[in-house]
Amino acid sequence: DTDTDDQTVDGLTFNAGTGELAISLEDDGVAPVTVDISGVSTDDQTVDGLTFNAGTGELAISLEDDGVAPVTVDISGVSTDDQTVDGLTFNAGTGELAISLEGDGVAPVTVDLSALDTDDQTVDALTFNAGTGELAISLEDDGVAPVTVDLSALDTDTDDQTVDALTFNAGTGELAISLEDDGVAPVTVDISGVSTDDQTVDGLTFNAGTGELAISLEDDGAAPVTVDLSALDTDTDDQTVDGLTFNAGTGELAISLEDDGVAPVTVDLSALDTDTDDQTVDALTFNAGTGELAISLEDDGVAPVTVDLSALDTDTDDQTVDGLTFNAGTGELAISLEDDGVAPVTVDISGVSTDDQTVDALTFNAGTGELAISIEDDGATPVTVDISGVNTDDQNAGEVNLVTPVDMDEAGESSPTSETTVEAAIQAIAPITSKAARIFYPPSIAIDASTTGNDRTVDLYQEYLNQYGGSASNFTASAGAPNAVPTYTRAELYYYVTFADPTVMNIDSIDVNGVMQYDITAVPSDYNSLINVVFVVK
């Protein structure tokens, strides 16, 4: 197999200014080939299918949600440089050996062997050393070492199929590829339907073992698409692609070829401006009558999208919007109102086509009643929506009437009257609840004072809980009473001893949990003594 053509790709350069990709091959003797891809649209449709039919030689490409059948590319006519030696002829009269290659389009190469003394001796060995380019010939019974013929100077790179033209027609969307001296018209590929819409390729990986090329797109939410290239005849001058790696950080695509002996070739794509969708939000309108918010996008060709907010209770008695949060993952806008006592209201705007532009700021100005919305990387100032006309009813507690007037403090006033508003009711009851209602006595307990002793303890809180914390089955309750008496936690109470008989006991301390430490200094004369304990709700 003299298919040695080992022409490494030694240059891939993209000119962001002109939109041209220049490709040069090592030692091919021609200027770099340029491809104009400036007219390629980058419109955000994920590639969701790449299928190669080895039988027909067609590559089918389908795009997500583009509404057209897969685009097919016929590459059956592409020559893979697989030129078999199809002729070896020896002319005994002239002593010349003629070598021809299949489909190379040139005359056979001849080697003059007339000087060899063949003496009618059969050739019993022909060995070609690809490393040195020498052909070793040994003759039967000639008693000498094999004769070597140096073929290294022969130009065996005869595939003669340099890519001599790559032309992109922006009008028709066709890419034309022609090979030097291949005798066929340029192969055209229709890529007019390809729309890439601002999704950077962030991973290209070629698995030489399985023959699969994996392509992943930035933020498309799907697993990498794999293309099975194992059926391709890749014996093209022993230059299999064994590595395709894209570095999203630097924007470089690295391409390495099997056994080419050079470092991977890198292509700098960082200058590509793929944010071309340019669909700025150009109108946000709130209809107070219907409760609908209308959102329109610049040049998207569809009517404004409306969001029904009529179910929101906007009569909120001065409830300022205190939270607007957009969840890019779910596409939901959460709106919360100050002191409305309900969870934030969520609006699903996941169906709004924002061309992969995240909302990166939502700001509400309570003074002007304007909502400002800015879109990531749209290059425009935030869009503002005036919702100052929304009826918030601005009623304070003094303006909200009680359904039924009631006298909250009874004799607390010189002339008792019934409170009629929320504010008046709060002001009347606050002095009562802030003091007297917070103080109560725990249940009676027995403390052993039959003998003297120091540093004894009693858990006042636990004694309280033991008696009050049980169910109604443990004590007698009035008809219709609940099954349990409400109790406080340890941390909700303060603990006091307001009196203890000093002739019988000393109170050393009470900790924050209600555990009291005391000393019995003398046994009471009648075996009875009193201690007064008070609990206060914090």
Side-chain angles (χ1 to χ4, degrees):
D1 182 353
T2 58
D3 180 16
T4 59
D5 190 338
D6 202 14
Q7 288 161 305
T8 305
V9 174
D10 66 356
L12 284 169
T13 306
F14 181 74
N15 186 325
T18 64
E20 293 182 325
L21 175 67
I23 306 171
S24 61
L25 301 179
E26 178 188 343
D27 302 326
D28 66 348
V30 297
V33 177
T34 60
V35 185
D36 183 359
I37 61 172
S38 60
V40 176
S41 166
T42 60
D43 180 48
D44 199 16
Q45 282 126 338
T46 306
V47 175
D48 65 357
L50 285 170
T51 307
F52 180 74
N53 186 327
T56 63
E58 291 181 326
L59 176 64
I61 306 171
S62 63
L63 300 181
E64 178 187 61
D65 301 326
D66 65 348
V68 298
V71 178
T72 59
V73 184
D74 185 0
I75 58 172
S76 60
V78 178
S79 169
T80 59
D81 192 27
D82 189 9
Q83 286 135 323
T84 307
V85 174
D86 66 354
L88 282 171
T89 307
F90 183 75
N91 187 329
T94 62
E96 291 179 325
L97 175 65
I99 305 171
S100 62
L101 300 180
E102 179 186 57
D104 65 347
V106 298
V109 178
T110 59
V111 183
D112 188 359
L113 306 177
S114 60
L116 291 175
D117 180 9
T118 61
D119 194 28
D120 199 21
Q121 290 160 306
T122 305
V123 175
D124 64 358
L126 280 171
T127 306
F128 183 73
N129 186 327
T132 63
E134 293 181 328
L135 175 67
I137 306 172
S138 63
L139 301 180
E140 180 186 58
D141 302 324
D142 64 348
V144 296
V147 176
T148 59
V149 182
D150 187 1
L151 305 179
S152 61
L154 288 176
D155 180 10
T156 59
D157 182 13
T158 58
D159 66 341
D160 198 21
Q161 290 169 300
T162 305
V163 175
D164 65 356
L166 283 169
T167 306
F168 181 72
N169 185 327
T172 64
E174 292 182 324
L175 176 65
I177 307 171
S178 63
L179 301 179
E180 181 185 68
D181 301 325
D182 65 348
V184 296
V187 176
T188 60
V189 183
D190 184 357
I191 60 173
S192 60
V194 177
S195 170
T196 59
D197 197 41
D198 195 22
Q199 285 167 302
T200 306
V201 174
D202 65 358
L204 283 170
T205 306
F206 183 77
N207 186 327
T210 63
E212 292 182 327
L213 175 65
I215 306 171
S216 63
L217 300 181
E218 176 188 278
D219 300 327
D220 65 349
V225 177
T226 59
V227 186
D228 186 359
L229 305 178
S230 59
L232 290 176
D233 180 7
T234 57
D235 184 16
T236 58
D237 297 333
D238 197 21
Q239 289 168 296
T240 305
V241 175
D242 66 357
L244 282 170
T245 306
F246 183 73
N247 186 326
T250 63
E252 293 182 326
L253 174 66
I255 306 172
S256 61
L257 301 180
E258 180 185 74
D259 302 326
D260 65 350
V262 296
V265 177
T266 59
V267 185
D268 186 359
L269 305 179
S270 61
L272 285 176
D273 180 8
T274 58
D275 186 12
T276 59
D277 65 334
D278 195 22
Q279 288 168 296
T280 306
V281 174
D282 64 358
L284 283 169
T285 306
F286 182 75
N287 185 327
T290 64
E292 291 181 324
L293 175 66
I295 306 171
S296 65
L297 300 180
E298 178 186 67
D299 301 325
D300 65 349
V302 297
V305 176
T306 59
V307 183
D308 187 1
L309 306 178
S310 60
L312 289 176
D313 181 11
T314 58
D315 184 12
T316 57
D317 293 336
D318 199 18
Q319 288 160 304
T320 306
V321 174
D322 65 357
L324 282 169
T325 306
F326 181 74
N327 185 327
T330 63
E332 292 183 326
L333 176 65
I335 306 171
S336 62
L337 300 180
E338 179 186 68
D339 302 326
D340 64 350
V342 297
V345 177
T346 59
V347 182
D348 185 357
I349 59 173
S350 59
V352 178
S353 174
T354 59
D355 238 3
D356 202 18
Q357 288 164 302
T358 306
V359 174
D360 63 357
L362 284 169
T363 306
F364 181 73
N365 185 327
T368 64
E370 291 181 327
L371 174 66
I373 305 174
S374 62
I375 305 293
E376 177 186 30
D377 301 326
D378 66 350
T381 56
V383 177
T384 58
V385 184
D386 184 358
I387 59 173
S388 60
V390 176
N391 180 16
T392 60
D393 198 23
D394 199 20
Q395 291 173 301
N396 59 43
E399 296 174 306
V400 179
N401 295 327
L402 297 177
V403 175
T404 303
V406 61
D407 186 3
M408 304 297 293
D409 50 2
E410 295 287 338
E413 299 176 345
S414 57
S415 299
T417 57
S418 295
E419 280 69 42
T420 59
T421 67
V422 171
E423 178 67 19
I426 292 173
Q427 293 296 332
I429 201 172
I432 300 171
T433 58
S434 65
K435 295 182 181 179
R438 295 170 54 206
I439 303 171
F440 68 96
Y441 292 99
S444 298
I445 61 172
I447 295 178
D448 184 6
S450 61
T451 61
T452 60
N454 297 328
D455 299 329
R456 297 180 182 181
T457 60
V458 60
D459 189 337
L460 298 176
Y461 176 80
Q462 189 60 49
E463 294 291 343
Y464 150 74
L465 195 64
N466 289 343
Q467 294 194 50
Y468 285 178
S471 67
S473 61
N474 296 329
F475 41 77
T476 303
S478 62
N483 288 330
V485 175
T487 58
Y488 294 97
T489 66
R490 288 183 186 271
E492 291 178 318
L493 298 173
Y494 293 120
Y495 306 90
Y496 297 86
V497 173
T498 60
F499 174 79
D501 188 346
T503 64
V504 175
M505 64 192 310
N506 293 328
I507 306 300
D508 298 326
S509 64
I510 306 174
D511 69 15
V512 295
N513 292 314
V515 177
M516 182 181 74
Q517 181 176 313
Y518 63 96
D519 307 322
I520 300 298
T521 58
V523 176
S525 58
D526 57 359
Y527 297 102
N528 285 298
S529 182
L530 295 178
I531 176 174
N532 195 25
V533 178
V534 175
F535 287 180
V536 176
V537 180
K538 291 182 179 178

